[in-house]
Each structure stands twice: as structure tokens, then as C-alpha cells.
Amino acid sequence: MTTPAQGLHSHVLATLGLAITAGEYPPGTVLRTDELAQRFDVSRTVVREVVRVLESMHLVESRRRVGVTVLPTASWNVYDPQVIRWRLAGADRPRQLRSLTVLRSAVEPVAAGLAATHATPEQCRELTEQALGMVATSRGRRLEEYLVHDIAFHRVVLNASGNEMFARLGDVVAEVLTGRTHHHVMFEDPDPAAVTLHVQVAEAVRERDAARAEELTRQIAVGALQELDVLAP
Amino acid sequence: MTTPAQGLHSHVLATLGLAITAGEYPPGTVLRTDELAQRFDVSRTVVREVVRVLESMHLVESRRRVGVTVLPTASWNVYDPQVIRWRLAGADRPRQLRSLTVLRSAVEPVAAGLAATHATPEQCRELTEQALGMVATSRGRRLEEYLVHDIAFHRVVLNASGNEMFARLGDVVAEVLTGRTHHHVMFEDPDPAAVTLHVQVAEAVRERDAARAEELTRQIAVGALQELDVLAP
DNA sequence: TGTGACATAAAAGTAGTACTTTTAATTCCC
DNA sequence: GGGAATTAAAAGTACTACTTTTATGTCACA
């Protein structure tokens, strides 16, 4: 119906997850497994497995004699990449983008500082390469190419920090950057100041200057937040 | 066997999840559903639902004709509270505590800064109350009571930030603080400097001084990291 | 009239079985 | 020796029967 889906489970999960995160079922709404089975034309087994997964994401709670209750937003596993993707695809995309950008503004500067002391030569090289790629594609409406380098750059920084919690945010950052690019006026080239900052971060990491890497990344983050303020009223 | 468990599903999930995150099954290990069903003496239905949940946490991957393959640490959903709890209970507790503390050091200062501009009067009051509670219990080996105030304090800050991603880290911080207290030499009272800093953060938030709240929280974080360095070689 | 024990039924939880689909691995032919 | 056809192993799906929990309604008793 909504998603192509290779497998009944994935299809039902995607549909239900999207619907719930989009707020289609307000918190407290009660669903029944066999009603869902009927609605999706699958067996109760499939529905039950889906419900179990949704339960592990704390989107719903299943209780005997009651049914499957939709939980309030506050209890959702908002760090689950799947949940993030659903929310970015749904109604409260703007709020989601904002809260993720704020998270980035907290994490990335610290990650960059750590990267400056932990990055391998290979990672330094990769970082410089991506920064140069950004420079090369920063003019002439080559936003898609620019995006690839931008994502790769931030991913390397997060990985090079040597902290697994930071590293795992790579996907989140990718989603945010992609979302931002695709919802912008596609005519404008990226801010030259931001591009320069990326090059400087690569430099600072290469020169093992943690404080400078952190500060420069903080400036990138500030820029991203301001950009968001302009976009969202 | 290992957990009390109210329900077959929870029991099997807890046992398997703990075993996998503890590294008992190295990445690449293949499990078969009916072998598991036999081992736990439950139906294949139960095992399948458990596998689906583990799959949603990216701990395992299930493929036809192959079996259930354990995935490498790098793909795990390390932000899933359940996964965090398993890992803190298991073998690589020290590494986990460290990476979470680093995450805290990135997030909490920013959260405190935001709290200074977003906190409701009620939250300010609560914050002051908890800080005073920390002062009151900071001497005389009342570590358990102190811990309760400490957790509550940080939870309020994260909630008051107004960012849902930050707010959801409340549980993580609680786990970290609890873990730290319980694995310390229980004779020592908390660092007086840290206690003072908490009181000052509450002050700064109350006075809407974002920069100061952020900076003070950063000092708390630095202290926590140093403490960890002393403990872990 | 209110309250507590009891009965009822609704819905999820569990089990078992039969069948389908995918796909790794083997075999066999060229 | 390589590629195509075959095989079988394991997960995926479905269905059905049964169990357990528990919200709710009922009835008796005070």
C-alpha cells in the first residue's frame, strides 16, 4: 500500500511504524492484533512479530485483555535509526530536524576534538580529501555531489573520535544533511564560510590541534543552527 | 536460568541479548531458531519473536537457509536503553561506562545552556532542591541518598533543555551515575568541588545565565572524566 | 446504597503443525 | 573446469487450538 517491502513483516512494520510516528494514532489509542491482521491481510503471527518490534522501540505497549496501546512520544526510542527515519519522513519533520541539529551541535565539536588526538594518518588523509571535494563542488549548483562529501567528512570525524557512541551518529548526521539539502532552495550554493571551516577542521585535526578542531566545528554547528532558524519560523 | 522473567519472551530475550552483548557469541556466529527453541524449551514462535526484536536492535541478522547471524559490535544500536543495560551488566562494562561518560561530557553542557533559557519556574525550583539535597547528603557516607539527588538533578537539566533527544538521555545518565557509585570505593564521600558546581549550575539556570550554566556543567563533566581515568588504567 | 467477592469474557500469550519460499551447496552435464 | 540444474536446509508464513491474564460487569451481603 505505502511501501514496496520485501516481506510481509517489513511491510506491516513500515506502515504501522510510520503511521504511529506520524501521530496518526494519538497516544492511548488501542489497536487489536487480529483487527490489524485483518486490515493488512496477514496472519496474526506476522502482526505479533511486528508488535513485538514496535514494543522494543517503546512506540506501543501490549497488555493482555486490553490490546496494543500507543505510547506517548516521550517514551519513544528516539535514537533508533528506524524511528528517526520514520519521523523524518512524516509530519513532524521540522521539529525532528531541529532537535537532531541541536544534538549535532553538542556532539560534533567534542568528537572533532577527540578526532584530533585519535585520528589515524589514513583518516587524516580521508578528511582532507573530503574537505577538498567540498571545495571543488561548492560552486555551480553541484549540491548533490557536495552533499556526498559533506556526509563523508562528518562521518570520518565521528569515526575518528574513537568513541562508539559518536561513531553511531554517522547515520543520523547523514539523514540531517540530506534532509537539509533536499528541503532548501536548490538554487543556492553552500555557504562559502562553512566550506572554509571544513577545510580548517581537516587542517586542525591533521596538526593534532584539538582545541582548534573543536572550536571550528562549533562554528560549523552554530552556522547550521542559524540556517535552521532562517528556514523555520 | 539467568533472569526471573515474567513471560517466556522476556526471559529468552534477556538471556540471548545479554549473551550476545557480552560477546559470548562472536560476530559471525550462526544460531538456528529451532535449536534455540529446543535449548530454551519454548516454541519456535517465541524464538522467532525474540529474533525479530534482536534484529531490530541490529544485534543479529536473520537470513533464509543460513540462520541467525550475530552482527559485529559496530552495527549494534548502542543507544537502545536495553542494549546499554545489557552491556553495562556484562563484560565490557568499563569501556561502555567510558564511552557513555564522554557522550555525557558533550551533551550535558549544551543541555544546561539550553535549560538556562528554557527552564520553567517549577524546574528551577526542582533543580535547586536537588542541588541542596546533594549538599545535605554529601558527607557521612550517605552515597545512596546522594545518588538519588544527583540523578534527579541531571534528569531535570536534560528535560529542561527542551530537546527531546537530550531528555531521552536521562536514563543513560542514571545508569552511568549508578554504575559509578556502585563501583567506587564506597568509603569516600563525593568530591566537594563537584557538589559546589551543581549548586552553582542551579543558580546559573535560575538566573538565566546560559553561558555560565554551560561552562559550569563542562567542569562537572571534566571532573567525571578525570575520575574515570584514575579508576581505569 | 455501597462494597467486596465472584464470574465472565475478551484479548494477548503460547504451542504445534503444515506448508511456502529463498538460497547455499551439491551434483551433473557439457 | 565451469556453468546450469537439482536438492535440501532453514527461515518465513499461515492457521488453529489452547492457556493465561485481567478488565469489567454482576450479584450477594452488609
Side-chain angles (χ1 to χ4, degrees):
Chain A
M1 199 187 282
T2 44
T3 334
Q6 73 294 17
L8 299 180
H9 177 85
S10 323
H11 173 239
V12 176
L13 181 62
T15 310
L16 262 184
L18 202 57
I20 293 173
T21 54
E24 258 172 67
Y25 305 100
T29 306
V30 178
L31 308 164
R32 266 161 312 126
T33 50
D34 32 7
E35 188 252 321
L36 291 172
Q38 203 174 349
R39 172 134 62 96
F40 288 104
D41 193 35
V42 295
S43 71
R44 208 164 70 98
T45 313
V46 172
V47 173
R48 285 188 44 69
E49 288 175 9
V50 168
V51 167
R52 278 261 132 94
V53 172
L54 293 175
E55 218 175 352
S56 86
M57 296 170 174
H58 290 93
L59 294 185
V60 302
E61 183 192 43
S62 176
R63 286 176 61 200
R64 269 175 158 132
R65 170 66 218 234
V66 175
V68 178
T69 314
V70 177
L71 294 175
T73 319
S75 51
W76 295 355
N77 253 344
V78 284
Y79 285 91
D80 190 309
Q82 183 65 91
V83 174
I84 292 178
R85 230 166 293 130
W86 285 334
R87 297 186 74 189
L88 283 176
D92 59 15
R93 180 197 185 85
R95 194 196 342 267
Q96 179 71 354
L97 266 182
R98 170 169 298 273
S99 64
L100 290 175
T101 304
V102 172
L103 177 67
R104 280 188 61 199
S105 78
V107 166
E108 293 204 76
V110 176
L114 285 172
T117 57
H118 287 83
T120 65
E122 169 61 21
Q123 285 169 327
C124 290
R125 198 194 55 69
E126 173 81 5
L127 211 55
T128 308
E129 192 177 303
Q130 297 302 340
L132 291 181
M134 290 175 72
V135 173
T137 55
S138 64
R139 290 165 161 273
R141 298 177 194 174
R142 299 169 65 186
L143 283 173
E144 284 299 335
E145 293 167 85
Y146 178 84
L147 177 61
V148 172
H149 292 295
D150 199 3
I151 288 175
F153 181 93
H154 289 277
R155 229 186 251 284
V156 174
V157 171
L158 291 169
N159 285 329
S161 73
N163 183 309
E164 60 173 352
M165 303 301 287
F166 289 167
R168 280 296 288 176
L169 289 176
D171 292 339
V172 173
V173 172
E175 296 279 1
V176 173
L177 293 176
T178 306
R180 187 180 65 173
T181 301
H182 291 168
H183 278 67
H184 243 252
V185 262
M186 290 295 267
F187 311 118
E188 277 179 32
D189 282 338
D191 179 13
V195 179
T196 308
L197 281 169
H198 282 79
V199 174
Q200 291 176 315
V201 168
E203 258 176 39
V205 170
R206 212 169 43 227
E207 294 167 3
R208 299 267 177 260
D209 189 341
R212 182 150 172 267
E214 180 169 341
E215 178 50 32
L216 288 166
T217 306
R218 212 171 287 284
Q219 285 178 40
I220 294 177
V222 169
L225 280 169
Q226 284 174 344
E227 194 176 314
L228 214 59
D229 283 327
V230 174
L231 209 65
Chain B
M1 198 186 282
T2 43
T3 333
Q6 74 292 17
L8 299 181
H9 178 84
S10 324
H11 173 238
V12 177
L13 181 63
T15 310
L16 262 184
L18 203 56
I20 292 173
T21 54
E24 259 173 66
Y25 306 99
T29 306
V30 178
L31 309 164
R32 267 161 311 127
T33 49
D34 32 9
E35 189 252 321
L36 291 173
Q38 203 174 348
R39 173 134 62 96
F40 288 103
D41 192 35
V42 295
S43 72
R44 209 165 69 97
T45 313
V46 172
V47 173
R48 286 189 42 67
E49 288 175 8
V50 168
V51 167
R52 278 260 131 94
V53 172
L54 293 175
E55 219 175 350
S56 86
M57 296 169 173
H58 290 93
L59 295 185
V60 302
E61 183 192 43
S62 175
R63 286 175 61 201
R64 269 175 159 133
R65 170 65 218 238
V66 175
V68 178
T69 314
V70 177
L71 294 175
T73 319
S75 50
W76 295 355
N77 254 346
V78 285
Y79 284 90
D80 190 310
Q82 183 65 91
V83 173
I84 292 178
R85 230 165 294 130
W86 285 334
R87 297 186 73 189
L88 283 176
D92 60 14
R93 181 197 186 85
R95 196 197 340 268
Q96 180 71 356
L97 266 182
R98 170 170 297 271
S99 64
L100 289 176
T101 304
V102 172
L103 177 67
R104 281 188 60 199
S105 78
V107 165
E108 292 203 77
V110 175
L114 286 171
T117 58
H118 287 84
T120 65
E122 169 60 21
Q123 285 169 328
C124 290
R125 199 194 56 68
E126 172 81 3
L127 211 54
T128 308
E129 192 177 303
Q130 297 302 339
L132 292 181
M134 289 176 72
V135 173
T137 55
S138 65
R139 290 165 162 272
R141 297 176 195 176
R142 300 169 64 185
L143 283 173
E144 285 298 335
E145 293 168 84
Y146 178 84
L147 177 61
V148 172
H149 292 296
D150 199 4
I151 289 175
F153 181 92
H154 289 277
R155 231 186 250 283
V156 174
V157 170
L158 290 169
N159 286 330
S161 73
N163 183 308
E164 59 172 352
M165 303 301 287
F166 290 168
R168 279 297 288 174
L169 289 177
D171 292 339
V172 173
V173 172
E175 296 280 1
V176 173
L177 293 176
T178 305
R180 187 180 65 172
T181 301
H182 290 169
H183 278 67
H184 243 253
V185 264
M186 290 296 267
F187 310 118
E188 277 179 33
D189 282 338
D191 179 14
V195 179
T196 309
L197 282 169
H198 282 79
V199 174
Q200 291 176 314
V201 168
E203 259 177 38
V205 170
R206 212 169 43 226
E207 294 167 2
R208 299 267 177 257
D209 189 340
R212 182 150 171 269
E214 180 170 341
E215 178 51 31
L216 289 166
T217 306
R218 213 173 287 283
Q219 286 178 39
I220 294 176
V222 168
L225 279 169
Q226 285 174 344
E227 195 175 314
L228 214 59
D229 283 328
V230 174
L231 210 65

